[in-house]
Amino acid sequence: MKRILLIIMLHAIVLSCAQIYPISTNQDVPINAYIKDINNELLPYEGIWKGTWDNKVLYITFKRIKKLQDHRPNHPYYKDVLIAKFKVLTSDEVWTIYDNTTVADDNTKIEGTRFFTMPILRYSLIYIDPEICRDGTIRINFINTAQTQLNWKYIDTTDMLTSDCPHYNTPDPLPQALPAEIILTRQ
């Protein structure tokens, strides 16, 4: 029992010694560091947002999570990011066209990367959707001081389809689950 308690205490000490950096950090951080949303800069984006485009209705939920960043070999660290889950409905909101609202937080198709400040403050996210063979970058920024409306811009960077894509060698264009540009309103 003493051994288990000692292991738990050592683990707590190691975790409490992790270096914490603000979310605005754009430099290399030590292994196991934590880039934390200390000033709650992501908080205004959290929640459910709605917009309409091309006879469709988009509901998107942004949520802040602490995510392990392990894309660099032998250099893991943690970072607060926004993730997003979305549902696309017909304009009358009767039929669901796309829905990924039930996926686990660590398996979302939209994940935040960082803030950009020039020419305006905006948050950047990446979108990777292997089910419809799409990927790209999303940029969101507030368009009013009350922070109840977001401007959304999606830049599709899908450049090549591989044979594992369900739409490979089909005459139909790839499905478009997300709009290129839309104004979202907080719900």
Side-chain angles (χ1 to χ4, degrees), residues 10-52:
L10 285 174
H11 185 46
I13 290 169
V14 168
L15 287 178
S16 66
C17 293
Q19 292 179 315
I20 296 176
Y21 295 84
I23 200 159
S24 60
T25 300
N26 288 322
Q27 63 193 35
D28 281 343
V29 294
I31 293 173
N32 293 323
Y34 180 14
I35 299 176
K36 184 175 175 64
D37 187 13
I38 297 167
N39 297 320
N40 291 318
E41 295 168 71
L42 295 173
L43 188 62
Y45 298 91
E46 287 189 280
I48 300 170
W49 299 81
K50 178 183 178 182
T52 58

Side-chain angles (χ1 to χ4, degrees), residues 28-175:
D28 281 343
V29 294
I31 293 173
N32 293 323
Y34 180 14
I35 299 176
K36 184 175 175 64
D37 187 13
I38 297 167
N39 297 320
N40 291 318
E41 295 168 71
L42 295 173
L43 188 62
Y45 298 91
E46 287 189 280
I48 300 170
W49 299 81
K50 178 183 178 182
T52 58
W53 101 98
D54 197 24
N55 293 318
K56 298 174 196 157
V57 177
L58 170 67
Y59 285 96
I60 188 158
T61 302
F62 291 108
K63 177 181 176 183
R64 177 180 51 182
I65 66 166
K66 180 180 178 180
K67 174 102 183 201
L68 174 64
Q69 305 291 309
D70 58 359
H71 54 277
R72 289 181 52 202
N74 303 317
H75 198 92
Y77 62 96
Y78 296 88
K79 183 177 183 181
D80 285 343
V81 297
L82 285 180
I83 58 167
K85 299 178 186 182
F86 64 93
K87 182 188 286 191
V88 179
L89 306 164
T90 55
S91 61
D92 57 7
E93 299 191 35
V94 173
W95 301 103
T96 301
I97 302 170
Y98 297 100
D99 186 356
N100 75 348
T101 57
T102 59
V103 299
D105 287 352
D106 61 348
N107 203 24
T108 60
K109 298 175 182 185
I110 300 174
E111 182 179 312
T113 58
R114 67 187 198 109
F115 280 101
F116 287 89
T117 57
M118 296 301 278
I120 57 169
L121 180 66
R122 57 189 196 269
Y123 189 69
S124 181
L125 305 104
I126 56 170
Y127 170 58
I128 301 173
D129 193 340
E131 292 172 23
I132 61 171
C133 313
R134 290 271 188 190
D135 54 59
T137 303
I138 299 165
R139 296 242 168 51
I140 54 174
N141 63 278
F142 290 107
I143 59 171
N144 63 0
T145 56
Q147 297 181 328
T148 58
Q149 290 190 310
L150 278 177
N151 184 40
W152 159 291
K153 288 189 179 180
Y154 165 60
I155 300 110
D156 189 341
T157 57
T158 307
D159 58 357
M160 190 171 92
L161 297 182
T162 59
S163 59
D164 60 339
C165 173
H167 303 281
Y168 185 72
N169 281 339
T170 62
D172 300 326
L174 290 178

